[in-house]
Amino acid sequence: IKTMFKNSKSFVRQKHYLTYNGYMKEHRVKLLAFLLEKDLLDKGLSSFFYYDEGQLSKEFINEYTYGEIEDKTVISKIRKLVPYSFDKYRHGVDDPDNYSVAGFNITSQFSTYFNIVAESRFGDQSEITHAIFLSDKVCKPLFLFQPFIVLGQRGSLEILKRMGFKTFSPWINEEYDLMVDSDRMSAALKEVEKLCRLDINDLHKWYWEMEDILVHNFNHFVKLNDQGPKKFRDFMENVIE
């Protein structure tokens, strides 16, 4: 992985961003609507709502879109688009060679410059639990040398920093992390659009300016993993407290 990262410095990647959105959730629908409204879907590699086709009925989509998306043309586009995946293979089951690192699609990670991490939960932690939920979705860019924007619970980046990881200010305006729900979504998507509007060569330069941070996150991730499950669990409990 480290060799692939170093070698990738010599070529410009194909796309701006990568984002995985297997199950339909409100904030992921908003992300897809935003990418369609701003004509940014082709700027990245993305997957939307292909884990459970039972969720793709007209009634289910209406439940997640009407009231949230004003442009009914976008709703129509979502209905026609999903289930959508940039990759022929889903879940890593059909192509195990490409998913050789803990289910990570290595090819897609090294074909894009930043990750839009649409976490499993978005609402403020006080409304759901008293803890911030982080999943494997944020582990992928930490381990595979990608900066990222988190569409997740308020304070997600703060937790990662308390765990010893580094985030990406000032290259990404991360003020969104501590905003309330609606403001957090708008501010995060503003950063997504800003990066997508960059020329791909400028984005390449932007990415490599963060090389030290990306290497630190990889090394720290490996270090935590090497401590073993009990130490990692104890560390996480301490961070949450």
Side-chain angles (χ1 to χ4, degrees):
I1 297 296
K2 293 178 78 172
T3 300
M4 290 180 68
F5 170 67
K6 292 177 181 177
N7 290 344
S8 72
K9 196 170 189 175
S10 61
F11 63 85
V12 175
R13 301 182 182 185
Q14 296 174 337
K15 298 287 185 177
H16 286 60
Y17 68 84
L18 174 66
T19 184
Y20 294 113
N21 302 270
Y23 288 104
M24 183 177 287
K25 297 194 176 184
E26 184 177 300
H27 61 292
R28 294 173 182 168
V29 170
K30 288 180 180 179
L31 170 61
L32 177 55
F34 175 82
L35 296 174
L36 289 170
E37 287 172 343
K38 300 296 184 179
D39 196 25
L40 299 176
L41 196 61
D42 289 341
K43 291 279 188 177
L45 300 178
S46 56
S47 298
F48 285 95
F49 319 143
Y50 55 80
Y51 280 178
D52 180 6
E53 294 190 7
Q55 69 184 335
L56 299 177
S57 65
K58 180 179 178 180
E59 293 75 17
F60 198 96
I61 293 176
N62 287 348
E63 179 183 348
Y64 274 88
T65 54
Y66 281 104
E68 302 295 337
I69 301 171
E70 295 181 2
D71 190 341
K72 300 305 183 283
T73 302
V74 172
I75 295 176
S76 178
K77 288 180 179 179
I78 289 175
R79 286 203 194 104
K80 293 177 181 178
L81 183 70
V82 298
Y84 176 80
S85 178
F86 69 90
D87 197 338
K88 174 183 175 183
Y89 302 103
R90 303 188 303 194
H91 302 288
V93 174
D94 299 317
D95 187 19
D97 291 337
N98 192 40
Y99 291 76
S100 57
V101 180
F104 295 170
N105 187 325
I106 301 170
T107 302
S108 63
Q109 297 283 155
F110 283 99
S111 297
T112 54
Y113 284 105
F114 69 97
N115 201 301
I116 306 171
V117 179
E119 265 293 358
S120 298
R121 296 175 182 172
F122 182 80
D124 288 347
Q125 67 269 24
S126 58
E127 297 175 5
I128 303 174
T129 67
H130 293 291
I132 294 173
F133 182 81
L134 295 174
S135 71
D136 62 296
K137 295 174 184 64
V138 79
C139 292
K140 293 174 181 178
L142 286 169
F143 183 64
L144 290 174
F145 301 98
Q146 274 198 326
F148 50 84
I149 296 167
V150 178
L151 303 182
Q153 292 169 285
R154 181 168 56 180
S156 294
L157 295 181
E158 288 298 308
I159 287 294
L160 289 172
K161 286 187 278 191
R162 287 172 61 186
M163 290 173 64
F165 293 105
K166 295 182 179 180
T167 58
F168 310 101
S169 178
W171 293 274
I172 297 173
N173 184 347
E174 296 179 335
E175 292 179 0
Y176 71 84
D177 186 51
L178 296 179
M179 295 179 178
V180 297
D181 286 0
S182 58
D183 292 340
R184 186 166 70 258
M185 174 64 76
S186 297
L189 292 180
K190 182 178 180 181
E191 291 302 295
V192 170
E193 182 175 13
K194 181 185 74 175
L195 295 178
C196 285
R197 299 299 183 195
L198 289 178
D199 178 82
I200 199 73
N201 291 291
D202 292 333
L203 193 64
H204 182 84
K205 180 181 178 181
W206 169 89
Y207 174 90
W208 286 103
E209 287 175 351
M210 289 177 279
E211 181 175 2
D212 290 347
I213 293 175
L214 301 175
V215 171
H216 167 84
N217 286 343
F218 172 86
N219 289 334
H220 191 59
F221 188 97
V222 172
K223 178 182 176 181
L224 291 180
N225 183 67
D226 288 344
Q227 289 178 341
K230 184 180 185 302
K231 286 189 176 181
F232 188 82
R233 183 174 63 250
D234 292 344
F235 179 80
M236 288 290 292
E237 290 175 352
N238 180 61
V239 167
I240 292 171
E241 289 175 2

